[in-house]
Amino acid sequence: MSNLNQLLLNLNFKTNFNEHDFYVSKSNSNAFNLIDRWPDWEKKILNISGEKFSGKSHLANIFKLKSKALLIKGKNIDNNIFKSLKLYECVIIDDFEECKEEQILYSIFNLIDQDSKYLLINSLKPINKIKFYLPDLASRAKNLLYAEIENPDDELLFAIILKNFSDRQIKIEKKIINFIISRIDRSYRKIDEFIYKIDELSLKKKKPINLKIIKEIL
């Protein structure tokens, strides 16, 4: 791992979604760079995919602040959405898979094209790999910009674990974080579960987290 000592000094650990709070590594750099480059996109629609807790919502909020975008949750999409869409240059659909209204989604894609708007879609997997019933939507889903957030590398793991402990005011030594990194599953969901269990145990025992407790949880 490189520059981890510097990381300890430079990261501003606050529970928020600003750009300075997002740690960029090889795992997520493509997605972050595309958000950073807006509006200089080759296409008007960008799909960022990655497992839960991988940072998609953080990137969506960065984009929302940069572009003053309208953020819509997939489960809330219905025919009433078009009045709001007309008022915004940029739109974000978060939790894309939760929307089952394929005809409405297709109409949203058409509106983005016709009015030269920008659309950011967050999904668990690339939407060109989703099996749509509507052929036109399936065809449109193949002609976007794509950025997939990969499993975290060591530096990103270190940053995530350190930030989560700091947010919860849990003090932990660097060597213990390195021990965790060498043994934990490379999964954002598993990392979140692990942090939750540590937090729960820390509150319950009201004692500093040590290597013994870490081993038990791992």
Side-chain angles (χ1 to χ4, degrees), residues 16-33:
N16 56 45
F17 289 117
N18 63 46
E19 187 169 347
H20 304 293
D21 219 33
F22 189 87
Y23 183 70
V24 182
S25 78
K26 291 178 182 178
S27 302
N28 57 28
S29 60
N30 187 30
F32 178 83
N33 289 337

Side-chain angles (χ1 to χ4, degrees), residues 5 8 13 157-181 184 194-195 197-199 201-202 207-215 217-218:
N5 288 327
L8 285 164
F13 295 110
L157 263 177
F158 192 99
I160 292 170
I161 293 168
L162 183 57
K163 182 181 188 307
N164 274 279
F165 281 139
S166 296
D167 285 345
R168 292 162 172 78
Q169 298 182 329
I170 298 173
K171 294 183 179 180
I172 191 163
E173 297 179 42
K174 179 185 172 184
K175 66 179 181 180
I176 295 181
I177 298 181
N178 287 336
F179 178 85
I180 296 167
I181 289 171
I184 199 167
F194 173 78
I195 296 292
K197 288 176 182 176
I198 288 285
D199 190 27
L201 200 59
S202 175
K207 292 180 180 179
I209 299 301
N210 55 33
L211 194 56
K212 182 181 178 182
I213 292 173
I214 295 292
K215 286 179 178 179
I217 294 175
L218 287 171

Side-chain angles (χ1 to χ4, degrees), residues 2-88:
S2 61
N3 301 321
L4 289 183
N5 288 327
Q6 193 64 35
L7 173 63
L8 285 164
L9 295 173
N10 290 345
L11 274 179
N12 178 24
F13 295 110
K14 296 179 181 177
T15 307
N16 56 45
F17 289 117
N18 63 46
E19 187 169 347
H20 304 293
D21 219 33
F22 189 87
Y23 183 70
V24 182
S25 78
K26 291 178 182 178
S27 302
N28 57 28
S29 60
N30 187 30
F32 178 83
N33 289 337
L34 281 166
I35 295 296
D36 191 50
R37 261 177 39 209
W38 177 84
D40 186 23
W41 290 354
E42 292 82 5
K43 297 178 181 179
K44 295 287 186 177
I45 304 176
L46 167 62
N47 173 211
I48 294 179
S49 61
E51 69 169 303
K52 196 174 180 181
F53 307 115
S54 62
K56 301 188 302 296
S57 293
H58 195 153
L59 287 172
N61 276 277
I62 292 172
F63 182 65
K64 186 174 184 288
L65 289 172
K66 287 171 68 73
S67 64
K68 297 180 173 60
L70 170 68
L71 193 153
I72 314 164
K73 291 291 184 179
K75 64 182 179 181
N76 296 328
I77 291 177
D78 56 29
N79 279 312
N80 295 319
I81 203 68
F82 292 99
K83 292 180 182 178
S84 299
L85 291 181
K86 285 286 186 180
L87 302 175
Y88 290 84

Side-chain angles (χ1 to χ4, degrees), residues 150-162:
E150 300 171 354
N151 288 338
D153 54 29
D154 283 357
E155 288 197 13
L156 184 55
L157 263 177
F158 192 99
I160 292 170
I161 293 168
L162 183 57

